[in-house]
Amino acid sequence: MSVDALVIGIGTGDPDQLTVAAVAALNTVDVFLVADKGAAKRDLAGLRAEICRHHIRHDRYRLVEVPDPERDRDAADYDAAVVDWHARRTDAYGEVIARELGAGGTVGFLVWGDPSFYDSTIRVVAGLAERGVVRDFRVLPGISSLQLLAAAHRIVLNQIGRPVHVTTGRRLRAEYAAELGDVVVMLDGDLACADLVPIYPDLEIYWGAQLGLPDQRLVAGRLGAVIVEIGQIRAAVRESRGWVMDTYLLRETREG
Ligand SMILES: C[S@@+](CC[C@H](N)C(=O)[O-])C[C@H]1O[C@@H](n2cnc3c(N)ncnc32)[C@H](O)[C@@H]1O
């Protein structure tokens, strides 16, 4: 059998965010594999299905849910636990591809935002190619939440001639330093930036939740002055929608 794979960045749920190339790619897919991450993430799966309905001009495609393997969140070795989780994901996808595309065709992966930021799909599909499960694959970029953050706040992510550092909430406390330049934080369920207030009182934050969706929320200001408000808004969004995703930029000084 000969199966090709497309890894397609779909932005964050608004069908208008897909590129023309991504829409063309969607229309060539026979089977989309969608990770089933349980009830809390059903809403996200629904947004993916809606994007397909909106952009695909035929009805010969199928969406197949693949139960997502559990990740060991208590493992002492974080990196090893993630590598193991990716391997089990690769196994799961390989089995479903063999079952669903026995006669060959194109399998599609709909990736939230852009596939190059904190997403395992490219690694998993590369693993499938190494194993010979897929013959070849292409990646179609999407609009990332960090681009949406910058656009919503009408800012440039870096100050003139300075770097941008992209990291996770898990690492922020240990690695934050003014020399990093502007710092974008993703995957932060605890608002780790609150711990920086006593040490960096002048930090500014540009925060956004549900970026690109109808319930998008934005807050900008001095971190110490707005952190409580951000926590309250975050809790309210989670309460009303069942999930919340937020991203923020930390900046030492305002551009003159
Ligand atoms: C697993 S990462 C995936 C990132 C994605 N590939 C991207 O390009 O945005 C999930 C994190 O992305 C950020 N994120 C994704 N969608 C978002 C949204 N609509 N609004 C704000 N942040 C979002 C959050 O920091 C979330 O914890």
Side-chain angles (χ1 to χ4, degrees), residues 8-19 26 41-55 110-114 142-145 148 209-216 241 243 245:
I8 306 171
I10 57 165
T12 62
D14 176 352
D16 286 352
Q17 285 172 11
L18 274 83
T19 66
L26 283 183
K41 301 282 170 73
R42 288 273 144 72
D43 193 21
L44 296 177
L47 289 170
R48 287 181 167 92
E50 180 52 36
I51 281 172
C52 289
R53 272 195 295 275
H54 189 93
H55 284 300
L110 303 171
V111 177
W112 194 254
D114 181 77
I143 307 268
S144 174
S145 54
L148 289 164
Q210 320 299 78
L211 290 159
L213 292 164
D215 49 345
Q216 168 176 299
R241 187 140 189 163
W243 58 273
M245 280 204 265

Side-chain angles (χ1 to χ4, degrees), residues 12 112-114 117-119 144-146 185-188 208-211 213 245-247:
T12 62
W112 194 254
D114 181 77
F117 292 111
Y118 294 107
D119 188 277
S144 174
S145 54
L146 59 82
V185 183
M186 304 171 90
L187 288 165
D188 183 1
Q210 320 299 78
L211 290 159
L213 292 164
M245 280 204 265
D246 57 343
T247 303

Side-chain angles (χ1 to χ4, degrees), residues 48-129:
R48 287 181 167 92
E50 180 52 36
I51 281 172
C52 289
R53 272 195 295 275
H54 189 93
H55 284 300
I56 299 180
R57 291 180 298 278
H58 60 82
D59 58 6
R60 298 183 303 281
Y61 70 93
R62 281 174 293 134
L63 282 160
V64 175
E65 290 198 353
V66 184
D68 212 29
E70 277 296 312
R71 199 175 99 199
D72 182 358
R73 293 183 185 276
D74 303 322
D77 186 339
Y78 175 86
D79 290 355
V82 172
V83 168
D84 171 65
W85 181 51
H86 288 172
R88 284 184 290 120
R89 261 189 161 177
T90 308
D91 292 343
Y93 286 132
E95 282 166 25
V96 177
I97 289 170
R99 192 181 70 219
E100 299 287 335
L101 282 154
T106 301
V107 63
F109 295 85
L110 303 171
V111 177
W112 194 254
D114 181 77
S116 68
F117 292 111
Y118 294 107
D119 188 277
S120 61
T121 309
I122 290 178
R123 292 191 185 95
V124 168
V125 175
L128 291 170

